[in-house]
Amino acid sequence: MTSRVAAAIDAAKADGRGAFVGYLPLGYPDLQTSIDAAVALAENGADVLELGPPYSDPVMDGLVIQEATQAALAAGFRLRDTFTAVRAIADRVDVPILVMTYWNPVLQYGVDRFADDLVAAGGAGLITPDITPDSAPDWIAASERTGLDRVFLGAPTSTDERLRMIAAASTGFVYTVSTMGITGERAELDAAARTLVARLRTFGVDHACVGIGISTPAQVSAVLEYADGAIVGTALVRALRDGGVEALAAETRALTAGAGR
């Protein structure tokens, strides 16, 4: 099956630019606003949407995103709301939607049930930060059956053996971790990201998108000198928190300018 996510990255490349992947937590500050925010993200230049159902133990998330997801949980967000949101967003914009989720909620919901409901809602796949391909046979089987993309993470500390496995198992793109640590804004990106992308290329990865710590148009532009896409989260969540959907739209336009929009 054709990957909608890979096709979006290829379309950006054909336009002479890199892809911009924008992350937002679902349910923040409330479900409807998070839907409107995701639509604004797509309408203002995002090539791929990465949407995160809030989780009680967000081990990879920095403070800004943690605060947003905790607020969403406190407001009553439930995992089933993920599919309501994805369906509403997919009805309004034609941009592939990836759900970034920790694995325990999927396991509790049921792997096949989650995959089927995501497909039915119009989703394109999952980013799974806390599960590796060798621990995910049920998810790999479900994604093969449904055509959903499965985006695994590669880190600067990953061995060649693990990167080879990640490269073989991932579809859509490989989420290339720019630096060790949690999400957030950093003054300078770790040079290890460039090396990591080069290592992934040797294992046949055609679509490598870099995330963690990218927060300015200049950083987006720098990453796209060697990667296929740049992933931004914290700067977008901060804009939504401080100025609502209008501020988010403006921030998205500024950041996608760094991607050559």
PDB file of all heavy atoms in Angstrom, residues 83-108:
ATOM      1  N   PHE A  83     -10.081   9.321  18.092  1.00  0.00           N
ATOM      2  CA  PHE A  83     -10.681   8.981  16.799  1.00  0.00           C
ATOM      3  C   PHE A  83     -11.718  10.024  16.382  1.00  0.00           C
ATOM      4  O   PHE A  83     -11.851  10.330  15.190  1.00  0.00           O
ATOM      5  CB  PHE A  83     -11.278   7.572  16.868  1.00  0.00           C
ATOM      6  CG  PHE A  83     -10.305   6.562  17.399  1.00  0.00           C
ATOM      7  CD1 PHE A  83     -10.450   6.051  18.677  1.00  0.00           C
ATOM      8  CD2 PHE A  83      -9.213   6.177  16.642  1.00  0.00           C
ATOM      9  CE1 PHE A  83      -9.534   5.146  19.186  1.00  0.00           C
ATOM     10  CE2 PHE A  83      -8.282   5.276  17.135  1.00  0.00           C
ATOM     11  CZ  PHE A  83      -8.440   4.757  18.411  1.00  0.00           C
ATOM     12  N   THR A  84     -12.406  10.587  17.350  1.00  0.00           N
ATOM     13  CA  THR A  84     -13.336  11.688  17.063  1.00  0.00           C
ATOM     14  C   THR A  84     -12.578  12.860  16.471  1.00  0.00           C
ATOM     15  O   THR A  84     -13.012  13.465  15.469  1.00  0.00           O
ATOM     16  CB  THR A  84     -14.042  12.127  18.358  1.00  0.00           C
ATOM     17  OG1 THR A  84     -14.775  11.027  18.895  1.00  0.00           O
ATOM     18  CG2 THR A  84     -14.991  13.286  18.092  1.00  0.00           C
ATOM     19  N   ALA A  85     -11.440  13.184  17.076  1.00  0.00           N
ATOM     20  CA  ALA A  85     -10.646  14.317  16.606  1.00  0.00           C
ATOM     21  C   ALA A  85     -10.050  14.047  15.234  1.00  0.00           C
ATOM     22  O   ALA A  85     -10.105  14.902  14.337  1.00  0.00           O
ATOM     23  CB  ALA A  85      -9.550  14.623  17.618  1.00  0.00           C
ATOM     24  N   VAL A  86      -9.460  12.875  15.053  1.00  0.00           N
ATOM     25  CA  VAL A  86      -8.840  12.549  13.758  1.00  0.00           C
ATOM     26  C   VAL A  86      -9.879  12.614  12.652  1.00  0.00           C
ATOM     27  O   VAL A  86      -9.637  13.170  11.570  1.00  0.00           O
ATOM     28  CB  VAL A  86      -8.168  11.163  13.811  1.00  0.00           C
ATOM     29  CG1 VAL A  86      -7.766  10.709  12.406  1.00  0.00           C
ATOM     30  CG2 VAL A  86      -6.949  11.193  14.719  1.00  0.00           C
ATOM     31  N   ARG A  87     -11.065  12.071  12.899  1.00  0.00           N
ATOM     32  CA  ARG A  87     -12.123  12.097  11.886  1.00  0.00           C
ATOM     33  C   ARG A  87     -12.527  13.538  11.539  1.00  0.00           C
ATOM     34  O   ARG A  87     -12.680  13.883  10.357  1.00  0.00           O
ATOM     35  CB  ARG A  87     -13.334  11.312  12.377  1.00  0.00           C
ATOM     36  CG  ARG A  87     -14.476  11.258  11.364  1.00  0.00           C
ATOM     37  CD  ARG A  87     -15.623  10.393  11.860  1.00  0.00           C
ATOM     38  NE  ARG A  87     -15.246   8.984  11.896  1.00  0.00           N
ATOM     39  CZ  ARG A  87     -14.950   8.298  13.003  1.00  0.00           C
ATOM     40  NH1 ARG A  87     -14.984   8.900  14.189  1.00  0.00           N
ATOM     41  NH2 ARG A  87     -14.632   7.028  12.935  1.00  0.00           N
ATOM     42  N   ALA A  88     -12.678  14.366  12.560  1.00  0.00           N
ATOM     43  CA  ALA A  88     -13.084  15.756  12.322  1.00  0.00           C
ATOM     44  C   ALA A  88     -12.027  16.525  11.539  1.00  0.00           C
ATOM     45  O   ALA A  88     -12.351  17.337  10.661  1.00  0.00           O
ATOM     46  CB  ALA A  88     -13.357  16.437  13.659  1.00  0.00           C
ATOM     47  N   ILE A  89     -10.760  16.269  11.854  1.00  0.00           N
ATOM     48  CA  ILE A  89      -9.663  16.959  11.158  1.00  0.00           C
ATOM     49  C   ILE A  89      -9.557  16.457   9.716  1.00  0.00           C
ATOM     50  O   ILE A  89      -9.427  17.252   8.776  1.00  0.00           O
ATOM     51  CB  ILE A  89      -8.337  16.743  11.920  1.00  0.00           C
ATOM     52  CG1 ILE A  89      -8.404  17.399  13.298  1.00  0.00           C
ATOM     53  CG2 ILE A  89      -7.159  17.312  11.126  1.00  0.00           C
ATOM     54  CD1 ILE A  89      -7.368  16.880  14.272  1.00  0.00           C
ATOM     55  N   ALA A  90      -9.627  15.141   9.540  1.00  0.00           N
ATOM     56  CA  ALA A  90      -9.517  14.568   8.200  1.00  0.00           C
ATOM     57  C   ALA A  90     -10.657  15.007   7.297  1.00  0.00           C
ATOM     58  O   ALA A  90     -10.496  15.074   6.066  1.00  0.00           O
ATOM     59  CB  ALA A  90      -9.476  13.043   8.294  1.00  0.00           C
ATOM     60  N   ASP A  91     -11.808  15.319   7.869  1.00  0.00           N
ATOM     61  CA  ASP A  91     -12.936  15.809   7.075  1.00  0.00           C
ATOM     62  C   ASP A  91     -12.698  17.229   6.562  1.00  0.00           C
ATOM     63  O   ASP A  91     -13.338  17.658   5.597  1.00  0.00           O
ATOM     64  CB  ASP A  91     -14.216  15.794   7.918  1.00  0.00           C
ATOM     65  CG  ASP A  91     -14.797  14.399   8.085  1.00  0.00           C
ATOM     66  OD1 ASP A  91     -14.385  13.486   7.343  1.00  0.00           O
ATOM     67  OD2 ASP A  91     -15.662  14.220   8.965  1.00  0.00           O
ATOM     68  N   ARG A  92     -11.776  17.952   7.208  1.00  0.00           N
ATOM     69  CA  ARG A  92     -11.575  19.368   6.874  1.00  0.00           C
ATOM     70  C   ARG A  92     -10.299  19.649   6.089  1.00  0.00           C
ATOM     71  O   ARG A  92     -10.236  20.657   5.365  1.00  0.00           O
ATOM     72  CB  ARG A  92     -11.589  20.198   8.167  1.00  0.00           C
ATOM     73  CG  ARG A  92     -12.958  20.223   8.839  1.00  0.00           C
ATOM     74  CD  ARG A  92     -12.921  20.822  10.225  1.00  0.00           C
ATOM     75  NE  ARG A  92     -12.473  22.223  10.242  1.00  0.00           N
ATOM     76  CZ  ARG A  92     -12.303  22.932  11.362  1.00  0.00           C
ATOM     77  NH1 ARG A  92     -12.533  22.370  12.550  1.00  0.00           N
ATOM     78  NH2 ARG A  92     -11.904  24.185  11.296  1.00  0.00           N
ATOM     79  N   VAL A  93      -9.280  18.813   6.228  1.00  0.00           N
ATOM     80  CA  VAL A  93      -8.019  19.045   5.518  1.00  0.00           C
ATOM     81  C   VAL A  93      -7.481  17.737   4.963  1.00  0.00           C
ATOM     82  O   VAL A  93      -7.708  16.669   5.537  1.00  0.00           O
ATOM     83  CB  VAL A  93      -6.949  19.699   6.430  1.00  0.00           C
ATOM     84  CG1 VAL A  93      -7.349  21.108   6.809  1.00  0.00           C
ATOM     85  CG2 VAL A  93      -6.690  18.849   7.662  1.00  0.00           C
ATOM     86  N   ASP A  94      -6.765  17.830   3.852  1.00  0.00           N
ATOM     87  CA  ASP A  94      -6.203  16.640   3.208  1.00  0.00           C
ATOM     88  C   ASP A  94      -4.711  16.568   3.501  1.00  0.00           C
ATOM     89  O   ASP A  94      -3.870  16.712   2.610  1.00  0.00           O
ATOM     90  CB  ASP A  94      -6.470  16.698   1.699  1.00  0.00           C
ATOM     91  CG  ASP A  94      -6.031  15.422   1.000  1.00  0.00           C
ATOM     92  OD1 ASP A  94      -5.928  14.386   1.683  1.00  0.00           O
ATOM     93  OD2 ASP A  94      -5.772  15.465  -0.221  1.00  0.00           O
ATOM     94  N   VAL A  95      -4.374  16.369   4.750  1.00  0.00           N
ATOM     95  CA  VAL A  95      -2.991  16.227   5.195  1.00  0.00           C
ATOM     96  C   VAL A  95      -2.911  14.945   6.015  1.00  0.00           C
ATOM     97  O   VAL A  95      -3.777  14.704   6.868  1.00  0.00           O
ATOM     98  CB  VAL A  95      -2.552  17.445   6.055  1.00  0.00           C
ATOM     99  CG1 VAL A  95      -1.204  17.218   6.697  1.00  0.00           C
ATOM    100  CG2 VAL A  95      -2.515  18.705   5.196  1.00  0.00           C
ATOM    101  N   PRO A  96      -1.922  14.090   5.773  1.00  0.00           N
ATOM    102  CA  PRO A  96      -1.854  12.844   6.540  1.00  0.00           C
ATOM    103  C   PRO A  96      -1.705  13.092   8.040  1.00  0.00           C
ATOM    104  O   PRO A  96      -0.953  13.980   8.459  1.00  0.00           O
ATOM    105  CB  PRO A  96      -0.640  12.125   5.960  1.00  0.00           C
ATOM    106  CG  PRO A  96       0.123  13.142   5.200  1.00  0.00           C
ATOM    107  CD  PRO A  96      -0.849  14.178   4.769  1.00  0.00           C
ATOM    108  N   ILE A  97      -2.411  12.309   8.824  1.00  0.00           N
ATOM    109  CA  ILE A  97      -2.451  12.473  10.277  1.00  0.00           C
ATOM    110  C   ILE A  97      -1.818  11.255  10.943  1.00  0.00           C
ATOM    111  O   ILE A  97      -2.313  10.130  10.808  1.00  0.00           O
ATOM    112  CB  ILE A  97      -3.893  12.635  10.777  1.00  0.00           C
ATOM    113  CG1 ILE A  97      -4.570  13.837  10.119  1.00  0.00           C
ATOM    114  CG2 ILE A  97      -3.918  12.763  12.302  1.00  0.00           C
ATOM    115  CD1 ILE A  97      -6.081  13.893  10.345  1.00  0.00           C
ATOM    116  N   LEU A  98      -0.718  11.495  11.632  1.00  0.00           N
ATOM    117  CA  LEU A  98      -0.086  10.465  12.452  1.00  0.00           C
ATOM    118  C   LEU A  98      -0.463  10.693  13.911  1.00  0.00           C
ATOM    119  O   LEU A  98      -0.470  11.831  14.379  1.00  0.00           O
ATOM    120  CB  LEU A  98       1.436  10.516  12.315  1.00  0.00           C
ATOM    121  CG  LEU A  98       2.028  10.074  10.977  1.00  0.00           C
ATOM    122  CD1 LEU A  98       3.506  10.416  10.926  1.00  0.00           C
ATOM    123  CD2 LEU A  98       1.827   8.576  10.759  1.00  0.00           C
ATOM    124  N   VAL A  99      -0.747   9.633  14.608  1.00  0.00           N
ATOM    125  CA  VAL A  99      -0.984   9.710  16.042  1.00  0.00           C
ATOM    126  C   VAL A  99       0.297   9.310  16.761  1.00  0.00           C
ATOM    127  O   VAL A  99       0.835   8.224  16.521  1.00  0.00           O
ATOM    128  CB  VAL A  99      -2.156   8.802  16.461  1.00  0.00           C
ATOM    129  CG1 VAL A  99      -2.257   8.717  17.986  1.00  0.00           C
ATOM    130  CG2 VAL A  99      -3.457   9.324  15.871  1.00  0.00           C
ATOM    131  N   MET A 100       0.812  10.200  17.598  1.00  0.00           N
ATOM    132  CA  MET A 100       1.993   9.911  18.398  1.00  0.00           C
ATOM    133  C   MET A 100       1.523   9.436  19.760  1.00  0.00           C
ATOM    134  O   MET A 100       0.948  10.190  20.529  1.00  0.00           O
ATOM    135  CB  MET A 100       2.866  11.159  18.548  1.00  0.00           C
ATOM    136  CG  MET A 100       4.279  10.872  19.085  1.00  0.00           C
ATOM    137  SD  MET A 100       4.403  10.302  20.797  1.00  0.00           S
ATOM    138  CE  MET A 100       4.023  11.804  21.690  1.00  0.00           C
ATOM    139  N   THR A 101       1.716   8.155  20.035  1.00  0.00           N
ATOM    140  CA  THR A 101       1.170   7.617  21.280  1.00  0.00           C
ATOM    141  C   THR A 101       2.151   6.686  21.965  1.00  0.00           C
ATOM    142  O   THR A 101       2.860   5.907  21.320  1.00  0.00           O
ATOM    143  CB  THR A 101      -0.144   6.857  21.012  1.00  0.00           C
ATOM    144  OG1 THR A 101      -0.646   6.343  22.255  1.00  0.00           O
ATOM    145  CG2 THR A 101       0.041   5.707  20.036  1.00  0.00           C
ATOM    146  N   TYR A 102       2.172   6.770  23.275  1.00  0.00           N
ATOM    147  CA  TYR A 102       2.869   5.753  24.054  1.00  0.00           C
ATOM    148  C   TYR A 102       2.103   4.440  23.903  1.00  0.00           C
ATOM    149  O   TYR A 102       0.911   4.421  23.564  1.00  0.00           O
ATOM    150  CB  TYR A 102       2.976   6.202  25.508  1.00  0.00           C
ATOM    151  CG  TYR A 102       3.818   7.450  25.639  1.00  0.00           C
ATOM    152  CD1 TYR A 102       3.230   8.716  25.709  1.00  0.00           C
ATOM    153  CD2 TYR A 102       5.207   7.366  25.643  1.00  0.00           C
ATOM    154  CE1 TYR A 102       4.000   9.867  25.797  1.00  0.00           C
ATOM    155  CE2 TYR A 102       5.994   8.521  25.734  1.00  0.00           C
ATOM    156  CZ  TYR A 102       5.379   9.756  25.804  1.00  0.00           C
ATOM    157  OH  TYR A 102       6.148  10.890  25.883  1.00  0.00           O
ATOM    158  N   TRP A 103       2.807   3.332  24.138  1.00  0.00           N
ATOM    159  CA  TRP A 103       2.260   2.048  23.736  1.00  0.00           C
ATOM    160  C   TRP A 103       1.177   1.522  24.677  1.00  0.00           C
ATOM    161  O   TRP A 103       0.247   0.840  24.243  1.00  0.00           O
ATOM    162  CB  TRP A 103       3.374   1.014  23.609  1.00  0.00           C
ATOM    163  CG  TRP A 103       2.899  -0.230  22.933  1.00  0.00           C
ATOM    164  CD1 TRP A 103       2.873  -1.498  23.436  1.00  0.00           C
ATOM    165  CD2 TRP A 103       2.336  -0.319  21.619  1.00  0.00           C
ATOM    166  NE1 TRP A 103       2.336  -2.375  22.528  1.00  0.00           N
ATOM    167  CE2 TRP A 103       2.000  -1.659  21.396  1.00  0.00           C
ATOM    168  CE3 TRP A 103       2.092   0.618  20.604  1.00  0.00           C
ATOM    169  CZ2 TRP A 103       1.426  -2.105  20.208  1.00  0.00           C
ATOM    170  CZ3 TRP A 103       1.519   0.183  19.425  1.00  0.00           C
ATOM    171  CH2 TRP A 103       1.185  -1.168  19.227  1.00  0.00           C
ATOM    172  N   ASN A 104       1.258   1.823  25.950  1.00  0.00           N
ATOM    173  CA  ASN A 104       0.310   1.247  26.893  1.00  0.00           C
ATOM    174  C   ASN A 104      -1.149   1.556  26.547  1.00  0.00           C
ATOM    175  O   ASN A 104      -1.999   0.652  26.616  1.00  0.00           O
ATOM    176  CB  ASN A 104       0.619   1.700  28.326  1.00  0.00           C
ATOM    177  CG  ASN A 104      -0.205   0.952  29.346  1.00  0.00           C
ATOM    178  OD1 ASN A 104      -0.176  -0.275  29.404  1.00  0.00           O
ATOM    179  ND2 ASN A 104      -0.958   1.684  30.151  1.00  0.00           N
ATOM    180  N   PRO A 105      -1.499   2.792  26.162  1.00  0.00           N
ATOM    181  CA  PRO A 105      -2.896   3.045  25.785  1.00  0.00           C
ATOM    182  C   PRO A 105      -3.371   2.180  24.613  1.00  0.00           C
ATOM    183  O   PRO A 105      -4.520   1.731  24.600  1.00  0.00           O
ATOM    184  CB  PRO A 105      -2.906   4.531  25.422  1.00  0.00           C
ATOM    185  CG  PRO A 105      -1.768   5.112  26.188  1.00  0.00           C
ATOM    186  CD  PRO A 105      -0.712   4.041  26.183  1.00  0.00           C
ATOM    187  N   VAL A 106      -2.495   1.952  23.639  1.00  0.00           N
ATOM    188  CA  VAL A 106      -2.865   1.111  22.492  1.00  0.00           C
ATOM    189  C   VAL A 106      -3.089  -0.321  22.955  1.00  0.00           C
ATOM    190  O   VAL A 106      -4.053  -0.989  22.553  1.00  0.00           O
ATOM    191  CB  VAL A 106      -1.774   1.161  21.405  1.00  0.00           C
ATOM    192  CG1 VAL A 106      -2.148   0.258  20.221  1.00  0.00           C
ATOM    193  CG2 VAL A 106      -1.551   2.586  20.921  1.00  0.00           C
ATOM    194  N   LEU A 107      -2.208  -0.789  23.803  1.00  0.00           N
ATOM    195  CA  LEU A 107      -2.309  -2.154  24.319  1.00  0.00           C
ATOM    196  C   LEU A 107      -3.607  -2.341  25.107  1.00  0.00           C
ATOM    197  O   LEU A 107      -4.310  -3.348  24.953  1.00  0.00           O
ATOM    198  CB  LEU A 107      -1.099  -2.441  25.206  1.00  0.00           C
ATOM    199  CG  LEU A 107      -0.719  -3.902  25.451  1.00  0.00           C
ATOM    200  CD1 LEU A 107      -0.412  -4.608  24.140  1.00  0.00           C
ATOM    201  CD2 LEU A 107       0.482  -3.969  26.387  1.00  0.00           C
ATOM    202  N   GLN A 108      -3.927  -1.345  25.932  1.00  0.00           N
ATOM    203  CA  GLN A 108      -5.145  -1.439  26.731  1.00  0.00           C
ATOM    204  C   GLN A 108      -6.403  -1.368  25.858  1.00  0.00           C
ATOM    205  O   GLN A 108      -7.406  -2.041  26.139  1.00  0.00           O
ATOM    206  CB  GLN A 108      -5.175  -0.312  27.774  1.00  0.00           C
ATOM    207  CG  GLN A 108      -4.081  -0.410  28.824  1.00  0.00           C
ATOM    208  CD  GLN A 108      -4.181  -1.673  29.663  1.00  0.00           C
ATOM    209  OE1 GLN A 108      -5.266  -2.069  30.062  1.00  0.00           O
ATOM    210  NE2 GLN A 108      -3.052  -2.312  29.922  1.00  0.00           N
TER     211      GLN A 108
END
